[in-house]
Amino acid sequence: MKFINPYLFIVTTFFLVSCTSQKEKLSLKDAYKNDFLIGTALNAGQIEAKNAKEDSLIKKEFNAITAENIMKSMYVHPQKDQYDFALSDKYVAYGEKNKMFIHGHTLIWHSQLAPWMEKIADSTEMKAFMKDHITTIVSKYKGRINSWDVVNEALNDDGTLRQSVFLKTLGEKYLIDAFKLAAKADPKVDLYYNDYNIEEPAKRAGAIALIKKIKAAGGKIDGVGIQGHWRLESPSIEEIEKSILEYSALGIKVAFTELDITVLPNPWDLKGADVNQKFEGNAKMNPYPEKLPDSIQTKLAERYASIFKLFLKHKDKISRITFWGVYDGQSWLNDWPIKGRTNYPLPFDKDLKHKPAYESILKLKKKEE
Ligand code: 9MR
């Protein structure tokens, strides 16, 4: 039998044990705890903690949550005189139980409206809808929900106002009214304007004008949510940085609220998240049905690293970074703009394992130490 040096044995064992426990302890939320919140979007099953593995990952890695769908108008307010808070109650309870920052998504959005809302055609009825909808929901969760997307996606890509049912019936004043109603229902909750592509120059100018208008009219607006449905090559770090600086110069918080990065072909050069854009698929459009090639995996990790490096540089201006989904298998990008593709946009893969993107985000913090 070979002689084992007992001293060396003890030291090595201690080192290995401490490395393992160190690795287990590391998480996105802990690594970034002094910088900004790290959030995720939960689907209905995750709110109900149906899958134990997903649930423990969510609790370990994230300290902020957004409901991916269940708080949208069609679900919480299906009929004029009927609200359904069953799942949103569970969502808020989940956040409270786990001491997470709870974000409300979303109050006034042209999409995912209940059918009865789509039929509203005059200003009196629309005004009544907005007052009832915002006041009921925000008051219900007063002091429990920490921030709200008051208005979502009110702008076109050229920075003009979207011809939504709200704009058509009420004119642009609906934007100011929405923020005023929300502030009245819960004066302490943080109120956000949330949109995609608002890091692009023309739409950014539109968003800035909109935020200024709300402020000038005496509305309370605390932050802007840049959704961050991005690509490997765009938007540039320079445009993202300009956006952080310009929005924060308005005296509001900047949050990245729906971050993900598509790695799939995008021949139409689509940007953002207009869910009405749909295309037919073929094998060429779904090149990695089984596995992401290492070269792209590395590109994705580098892209996340450069984005988080920028976020850290401006951590004093940033309140929260939320990924749009917990792991790749759950991402909406598997179905947009083509149904049934296999995309890889998040730091956790379909088996909930860390991807190189996850390691690259954590590594930035290790370098700081
Ligand atoms: O991720 C959401 C997806 O499950 C829904 O089918 C879709 C329907 O509108 O909404 C997705 O979330 C959107 C978010 O609510 C607002 N910004 C764009 C997001 C991606 O489409």
Side-chain angles (χ1 to χ4, degrees), residues 95-106:
E96 286 177 333
K97 188 171 147 214
N98 296 303
K99 300 191 170 46
M100 290 162 161
F101 182 96
I102 306 169
H103 181 68
H105 176 77
T106 172

Side-chain angles (χ1 to χ4, degrees), residues 69-87:
N69 283 301
I70 59 106
M71 295 196 95
K72 292 172 181 174
S73 308
M74 66 187 282
Y75 300 114
V76 280
H77 198 172
Q79 303 291 339
K80 188 170 179 187
D81 301 316
Q82 187 204 326
Y83 285 88
D84 181 352
F85 289 122
L87 272 172

Side-chain angles (χ1 to χ4, degrees), residues 279-313:
F279 294 86
E280 283 299 312
N282 58 43
K284 241 175 102 189
M285 288 295 133
N286 189 25
Y288 323 121
E290 303 302 334
K291 185 183 176 290
L292 190 62
D294 290 347
S295 60
I296 317 267
Q297 190 77 267
T298 306
K299 261 194 179 172
L300 180 69
E302 286 167 0
R303 175 80 166 137
Y304 265 116
S306 53
I307 289 169
F308 269 78
K309 204 169 153 200
L310 178 74
F311 292 163
L312 277 173
K313 180 175 171 194

Side-chain angles (χ1 to χ4, degrees), residues 77-241:
H77 198 172
Q79 303 291 339
K80 188 170 179 187
D81 301 316
Q82 187 204 326
Y83 285 88
D84 181 352
F85 289 122
L87 272 172
S88 53
D89 281 351
K90 285 188 187 171
Y91 165 71
V92 174
Y94 184 94
E96 286 177 333
K97 188 171 147 214
N98 296 303
K99 300 191 170 46
M100 290 162 161
F101 182 96
I102 306 169
H103 181 68
H105 176 77
T106 172
L107 293 167
I108 297 297
W109 187 28
H110 65 279
S111 197
Q112 288 185 292
L113 291 169
W116 73 270
M117 296 169 186
E118 311 250 16
K119 292 191 195 120
I120 300 177
D122 71 65
S123 64
T124 317
E125 236 189 302
M126 185 56 92
K127 239 181 156 173
F129 157 72
M130 279 202 15
K131 186 167 179 206
D132 181 58
H133 186 79
I134 295 177
T135 312
T136 307
I137 302 174
V138 177
S139 313
K140 174 161 168 71
Y141 296 113
K142 181 176 176 183
R144 298 177 67 201
I145 282 194
N146 305 97
S147 60
W148 274 106
D149 288 333
V150 179
V151 177
N152 197 42
E153 302 173 7
L155 291 164
N156 296 313
D157 276 350
D158 64 1
T160 58
L161 285 177
R162 184 191 288 275
Q163 280 295 323
S164 68
V165 63
F166 309 108
L167 188 72
K168 280 185 199 146
T169 50
L170 296 174
E172 63 178 61
K173 200 174 161 287
Y174 88 87
L175 295 153
I176 296 155
D177 291 347
F179 279 86
K180 285 191 174 168
L181 286 164
K184 199 168 169 208
D186 185 352
K188 288 197 189 136
V189 72
D190 268 0
L191 304 178
Y192 278 74
Y193 174 70
N194 192 53
D195 210 335
Y196 57 82
N197 290 351
I198 51 168
E199 67 284 347
E200 300 280 335
K203 198 163 181 181
R204 179 168 73 223
I208 290 172
L210 181 90
I211 292 162
K212 283 186 174 163
K213 223 176 263 175
I214 294 165
K215 283 187 156 222
K220 173 171 128 60
I221 176 162
D222 304 287
V224 64
I226 301 174
Q227 292 185 4
H229 294 295
W230 290 339
R231 297 147 301 279
L232 284 172
E233 317 291 346
S234 66
S236 70
I237 294 298
E238 290 72 31
E239 288 306 337
I240 305 171
E241 180 162 40

Side-chain angles (χ1 to χ4, degrees), residues 19-33 38-40 42 52-65 94 98 100 326 348 352-354 358-359 362:
C19 278
T20 320
S21 67
Q22 197 51 27
K23 214 172 167 197
E24 272 165 15
K25 258 192 245 158
L26 271 184
S27 70
L28 294 175
K29 73 168 186 206
D30 292 337
Y32 283 83
K33 68 176 186 293
I38 300 279
T40 189
L42 303 182
K53 243 177 103 185
E54 284 176 33
D55 194 47
S56 67
L57 176 86
I58 293 163
K59 289 172 183 163
K60 180 175 173 218
E61 299 288 342
F62 304 103
N63 51 18
I65 49 172
Y94 184 94
N98 296 303
M100 290 162 161
V326 178
F348 296 93
L352 306 180
K353 298 231 168 64
H354 301 168
Y358 175 92
E359 308 298 344
L362 274 190

Side-chain angles (χ1 to χ4, degrees), residues 312-340:
L312 277 173
K313 180 175 171 194
H314 294 293
K315 61 184 179 185
D316 57 322
K317 306 167 192 72
I318 295 176
S319 51
R320 172 171 58 93
I321 309 294
T322 288
F323 293 95
W324 204 240
V326 178
Y327 66 104
D328 285 346
Q330 163 198 0
S331 170
W332 73 291
L333 285 170
N334 293 312
D335 289 312
W336 184 87
I338 293 175
K339 245 191 146 11

